[in-house]
């Protein structure tokens, strides 16, 4: 496998009603191909979002399988999505190989929305957020937004079941953020 320089390829998802920001590292090859977040079929991000945010009494309130259905679900529930890295050098989809980082600018999203909490998903996303993104936010006067690391939803993090991950997200997330779509 050779090093590849990758550009993110698609922009963040958010609107002025977004309240929570989930941050990955860099979109995977499958996600870049689909032009949307967490599109690898074995990534567990979307099943977790459905378990945490969907109104289970409303059969129409589901994440779906297409990028458009997932986009609508996220926005309906106050969820913003972006990655810590705008471009980098990487080996395949290996987050641990990321180098030569150009960080994403989170400022416009924060200023243009109601985001009150940032949740990096995975240890590498948390590390990159702390090293690159948070200092930029601090320099823009936006450094007081809490950031709580969450576990990776990647199929590479197979030691945890889907139920384990749902429980870990629920335990670590602010209860007010879990009701973001209901206020």
């Amino acid at each position: 496998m050779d090093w590849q320089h990758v550009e993110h390829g698609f922009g963040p998802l958010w609107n002025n009603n977004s309240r929570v920001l989930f941050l990955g590292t860099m979109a995977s090859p499958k996600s870049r191909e689909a032009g949307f977040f967490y599109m690898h079929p074995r990534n567990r991000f979307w099943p977790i979002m459905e378990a945490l945010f969907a109104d289970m009494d409303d059969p129409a309130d589901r994440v779906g399988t297409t990028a458009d259905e997932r986009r609508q679900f996220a926005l309906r529930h106050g969820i913003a999505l972006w990655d810590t890295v705008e471009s980098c050098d990487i080996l395949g989809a290996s987050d641990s190989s990321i180098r030569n980082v150009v960080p994403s600018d989170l400022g416009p999203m924060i200023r243009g929305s109601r985001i009150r909490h940032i949740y990096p998903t995975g240890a590498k996303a948390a590390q990159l957020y702390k090293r690159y993104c948070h200092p930029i936010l601090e320099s823009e006067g936006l450094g007081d937004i809490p950031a709580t690391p969450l576990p990776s939803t990647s199929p590479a993090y197979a030691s945890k079941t889907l139920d384990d991950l749902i429980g870990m997200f629920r335990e670590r997330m602010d209860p007010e953020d879990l009701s973001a779509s209901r206020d």
Side-chain angles (χ1 to χ4, degrees), residues 131-147:
R131 182 171 181 189
Y132 295 107
C133 300
H134 187 256
I136 295 169
L137 288 175
E138 278 188 322
S139 74
E140 296 175 358
L142 300 170
D144 60 342
I145 295 174

Side-chain angles (χ1 to χ4, degrees), residues 3 19 25 40 55 65 72 74-75 102 142 164 168 170:
W3 285 98
R19 304 220 132 170
T25 50
H40 189 288
D55 178 353
T65 57
Q72 290 174 30
L75 293 175
V102 174
L142 300 170
D164 291 338
M168 293 167 79
R170 195 172 269 128

Side-chain angles (χ1 to χ4, degrees), residues 167-178:
M168 293 167 79
F169 269 59
R170 195 172 269 128
E171 179 182 295
R172 294 179 189 180
M173 288 182 67
D174 185 318
E176 287 183 28
D177 294 337
L178 291 172

Side-chain angles (χ1 to χ4, degrees), residues 3 11 34 44 52 68 99 109-110 124 129 148 155 159 177:
W3 285 98
R44 294 165 294 174
L52 296 177
D68 189 54
R99 65 182 190 189
M109 293 177 71
I110 304 295
K124 188 67 171 188
Y129 171 78
T148 303
S159 66
D177 294 337

Side-chain angles (χ1 to χ4, degrees), residues 14-151:
W14 64 281
N15 65 21
N16 60 341
N17 292 316
S18 297
R19 304 220 132 170
V20 294
L21 170 58
F22 290 96
L23 276 178
T25 50
M26 165 56 84
S28 72
K30 288 279 186 200
S31 292
R32 290 193 306 272
E33 178 184 307
F36 197 61
F37 301 92
Y38 304 104
M39 293 302 284
H40 189 288
R42 292 184 318 172
N43 190 297
R44 294 165 294 174
F45 181 82
W46 290 110
I48 293 168
M49 293 299 102
E50 186 168 289
L52 296 177
F53 290 96
D55 178 353
M56 292 303 166
D57 294 328
D58 180 357
D61 191 21
R62 300 296 179 260
V63 298
T65 57
T66 69
D68 189 54
E69 289 169 323
R70 292 172 175 186
R71 182 179 293 109
Q72 290 174 30
F73 181 89
L75 293 175
R76 184 168 62 248
H77 290 281
I79 298 168
L81 303 170
W82 194 213
D83 289 311
T84 54
V85 178
E86 181 68 36
S87 69
C88 66
D89 295 332
I90 190 169
L91 289 171
S94 171
D95 284 354
S96 64
S97 73
I98 291 174
R99 65 182 190 189
N100 299 323
V101 169
V102 174
S104 296
D105 181 5
L106 307 178
M109 293 177 71
I110 304 295
R111 284 189 296 277
S113 69
R114 297 165 43 196
I115 292 171
R116 62 182 179 210
H117 210 124
I118 298 170
Y119 293 101
T121 57
K124 188 67 171 188
Q127 175 193 32
L128 292 168
Y129 171 78
K130 185 177 179 181
R131 182 171 181 189
Y132 295 107
C133 300
H134 187 256
I136 295 169
L137 288 175
E138 278 188 322
S139 74
E140 296 175 358
L142 300 170
D144 60 342
I145 295 174
T148 303
L150 296 171

